[in-house]
Amino acid sequence: MLNATTMLRPLLSRQTAARVSSSCRAAAGGAPGSHSHTTSRRSVHIEKKIEGLGIELPTAPLPKANYNIVCLPPGESIMYVSGHLPITNDGELITGTLGPDNGGMTVEEGYDAARLCGLNIIATLKEQLGDLDRVEQVVKVFGIVSSHTDFKHQHLVMDGCSDVIMEVFDKPIGYHARSAIGTNTLPLNAPVEVEAIVKIKAE
C-alpha cells in the first residue's frame, strides 16, 4: 500500500488546461474532448468491463504546464498521450523515489504508482474519445521511474501500468510495446511518469 506521507496535492491551477494547441485537438468526428458523438453510437463494452472489474477511474488529469494532454492530428488515427503522473481518485499526487535500500519507495509501492499512471491514461482516453471502444490498439507505453542509482527494477515497477492496461483492454488491443528507464528526478517529485501512443478507430 502507498504511504500517505508520499502524497502531495497538486497546486497548479486548472486554468493551465486552456493552453493547448488547436492543431492537436481535432479527432475523427470532432475534437477529442468534444463528445460530439451521440449516446446511441457509444459501444461502452470496455466501460462495462471496467465496472465489472471493480475499477473506478480517476478524474481525467489536466496538463501541468503549457502543453496538450493528448495530440491527435486532423485526419490521423494515432493519438500521442502526454506523460501522466500517479494521481489518486482523491486528486492526490504520489511522490517519492524508488530505492528501498536508500530509504526510498519499494518495488510494490512503485508498481502501485505506475498502475495509477495507467488508470489516469485510461481516464484521459475516455475523456478525449467519449468511448473507450474507440481504442483500436495501445501501441506503445513509455515509462520513466525516478530512482536511486542502485535501483535496477524499473521494469517491474512499470508492470503496474502494463497490467492495468491489459486488465482493461486485454489482448490484442491492450498488448503493447514498452520501454522503462530510470532517472534521478521527475516533475513535482513524482516517482513514475508514463506516456503512450494509441491507435484510434474512426467514429
Side-chain angles (χ1 to χ4, degrees):
M1 297 298 295
L2 293 168
N3 193 314
T5 62
T6 66
M7 297 182 179
L8 175 68
R9 184 172 298 278
L11 300 177
L12 297 172
S13 169
R14 295 180 68 87
Q15 295 177 348
T16 307
R19 302 176 180 177
V20 295
S21 169
S22 60
S23 65
C24 291
R25 297 185 67 183
S34 66
H35 295 208
S36 60
H37 29 65
T38 62
T39 302
S40 62
R41 296 181 64 183
R42 297 182 69 231
S43 300
V44 301
H45 295 106
I46 295 297
E47 291 172 45
K48 287 181 179 177
K49 183 177 182 181
I50 289 173
E51 183 178 351
L53 290 169
I55 294 174
E56 182 180 353
L57 292 178
T59 301
L62 296 173
K64 301 298 187 288
N66 189 16
Y67 61 91
N68 202 354
I69 201 69
V70 301
C71 185
L72 180 60
E76 300 292 330
S77 62
I78 298 297
M79 175 179 280
Y80 298 89
V81 182
S82 296
H84 279 56
L85 304 179
I87 300 173
T88 71
N89 288 21
D90 295 328
E92 304 284 348
L93 173 64
I94 306 305
T95 62
T97 300
L98 273 294
D101 292 343
N102 294 280
M105 298 171 70
T106 64
V107 171
E108 292 76 18
E109 289 173 322
Y111 177 100
D112 288 344
R115 181 180 177 88
L116 281 173
C117 292
L119 289 171
N120 276 270
I121 287 174
I122 294 169
T124 287
L125 292 172
K126 181 180 177 181
E127 172 71 18
Q128 297 293 318
L129 300 174
D131 185 353
L132 287 172
D133 285 280
R134 288 190 64 203
V135 174
E136 183 172 335
Q137 179 69 53
V138 180
V139 178
K140 176 74 182 286
V141 169
F142 180 70
I144 310 168
V145 180
S146 179
S147 317
H148 289 286
T149 304
D150 60 352
F151 183 79
K152 309 300 181 185
H153 301 298
Q154 290 83 2
H155 60 300
L156 300 180
V157 168
M158 272 301 298
D159 276 347
C161 180
S162 293
D163 287 352
V164 76
I165 288 174
M166 286 298 295
E167 286 176 32
V168 169
F169 293 105
D170 210 345
K171 289 184 179 180
I173 296 173
Y175 206 39
H176 51 274
R178 193 185 82 184
S179 297
I181 65 170
T183 187
N184 64 333
T185 188
L186 281 172
L188 303 177
N189 196 29
V192 188
E193 180 175 355
V194 183
E195 63 182 54
I197 300 173
V198 181
K199 186 174 184 181
I200 305 302
K201 299 175 186 175
E203 286 192 285

